[in-house]
Amino acid sequence: MKSASAELITLLSTSRQFWMADLYTFTLIDGTVLRYTSADIDVTVGANTFLQTGPQIKRSRTRVALGTAVDQLDLSISAEATTLLSGLPWLQAISNGALDGATVNLERAFSDTPGGTIAGTVLLFSGRVSDTTTDSLTAKVIVRSFMELLNTPLPINLYQPPCGFSVYGPGCGVSRAAFAAYGAVASGSTRQSINCGLGNAAGYFDIGELVMTSGQNLGVIRTVKSYAPGVVALAYPLPKPVSDGDTFTIYPGCDKRLATCRDKFGNLPRFRATPFVPVPETAL
């Protein structure tokens, strides 16, 4: 929990009544920052304004505990169809994955009067979106604290033939933007098989990633199951039908083999594997 400012301590210790409001900060994986408040007026804290217009957010209670337990915050979000997130109505955007991997901060602001100068804020919860479900009226969003990152399997360094880095990750170092390709949906496409004008060699985009950048599936991310020139087969179908001209960005995948790292990405100096170490055998 963030330490309180001197002004906030003075307000809480001397005032018999004060005004409070919850402040929500959503940081999407593309860097977009969205700020909302539970108050019926906009709330300004420093250079940041938290909007009262937008989605209606209800939350579960928070708690403060010692130890390494993974705390959880449950959000229930509803919004009108005219309230947009990433160009789509909020519920549709959440269903498409707009909040996947986003970080959420929950703060409480204090003032002596509604609309008055904010004396300070207290951070109640901070974490990363873990799961989302939607229906026709609301979206349920589960946010888990960053303690969840401690659940990473150990040891990290293993003697193994495949590379231990994730392609485009910090350890890999390959630029995602440098390998991005852009295409548009062509006629005859389905939700799981996308016809397009890409002419890369067969298999180039296998186990890669496709991101829809327009249409009903805007923001949806899918793994590429297989690729042949002009046809992208997805591992899972898109949630909505595609239309001719819908655009997408696609990134080649990596099977973590030495030859792929060297010949496809030119990244052999960062190859993190031991393909020539003999496999362990059990002596009987």
Side-chain angles (χ1 to χ4, degrees):
M1 179 180 293
K2 183 172 64 176
S3 59
S5 65
E7 293 82 0
L8 177 56
I9 294 174
T10 299
L11 173 67
L12 298 180
S13 60
T14 60
S15 298
R16 301 187 61 179
Q17 62 181 15
F18 44 82
W19 178 81
M20 302 182 298
D22 285 347
L23 308 178
Y24 298 92
T25 302
F26 296 84
T27 304
L28 309 186
I29 57 174
D30 64 0
T32 301
V33 179
L34 307 171
R35 296 182 175 90
Y36 302 102
T37 179
S38 62
D40 55 5
I41 56 174
D42 291 348
V43 177
T44 299
V45 180
N48 300 320
T49 298
F50 296 79
L51 304 177
Q52 57 90 13
T53 56
Q56 303 301 310
I57 305 173
K58 297 180 180 180
R59 66 174 177 86
S60 60
R61 299 181 65 180
T62 61
R63 68 188 183 94
V64 178
L66 297 176
T68 57
V70 179
D71 294 328
Q72 177 175 307
L73 178 68
D74 298 328
L75 301 179
S76 177
I77 300 177
S78 59
E80 298 180 355
T82 55
T83 303
L84 304 182
L85 169 62
S86 299
L88 293 174
W90 259 77
L91 298 187
Q92 182 178 344
I94 292 175
S95 178
N96 285 0
L99 291 185
D100 290 357
T103 59
V104 180
N105 283 356
L106 168 63
E107 299 174 90
R108 175 159 290 179
F110 295 85
S111 177
D112 54 353
T113 58
T117 301
I118 299 300
T121 64
V122 175
L123 180 64
L124 299 181
F125 190 90
S126 183
R128 185 173 57 177
V129 173
S130 174
D131 190 25
T132 62
T133 57
T134 58
D135 56 33
S136 59
L137 298 176
T138 60
K140 304 296 184 182
V141 178
I142 297 176
V143 185
R144 296 187 184 276
S145 72
F146 292 113
M147 286 289 186
E148 185 178 33
L149 298 176
L150 295 178
N151 292 331
T152 302
L154 296 174
I156 296 177
N157 299 311
L158 298 174
Y159 290 102
Q160 58 184 6
C163 180
F165 288 136
S166 297
V167 65
Y168 311 121
C172 172
V174 171
S175 169
R176 178 186 292 266
F179 283 86
Y182 307 93
V185 175
S187 60
S189 298
T190 67
R191 291 165 54 201
Q192 195 163 3
S193 180
I194 307 297
N195 296 332
C196 59
L198 296 174
N200 302 77
Y204 181 75
F205 294 107
D206 288 4
I207 59 175
E209 185 178 86
L210 180 142
V211 182
M212 297 300 299
T213 53
S214 71
Q216 296 186 85
N217 295 292
L218 174 67
V220 173
I221 300 173
R222 287 291 185 267
T223 298
V224 177
K225 180 180 180 181
S226 62
Y227 165 79
V231 182
V232 179
L234 304 178
Y236 295 97
L238 295 166
K240 303 288 184 180
V242 294
S243 300
D244 293 358
D246 287 353
T247 57
F248 61 84
T249 302
I250 188 170
Y251 304 91
C254 179
D255 59 10
K256 300 181 181 292
R257 296 187 303 116
L258 183 147
T260 302
C261 184
R262 178 190 61 210
D263 303 334
K264 186 175 182 177
F265 295 99
N267 198 40
L268 189 58
R270 291 199 178 212
F271 183 64
R272 184 183 183 182
T274 52
F276 306 113
V277 172
V279 297
E281 297 178 352
T282 302
L284 298 177

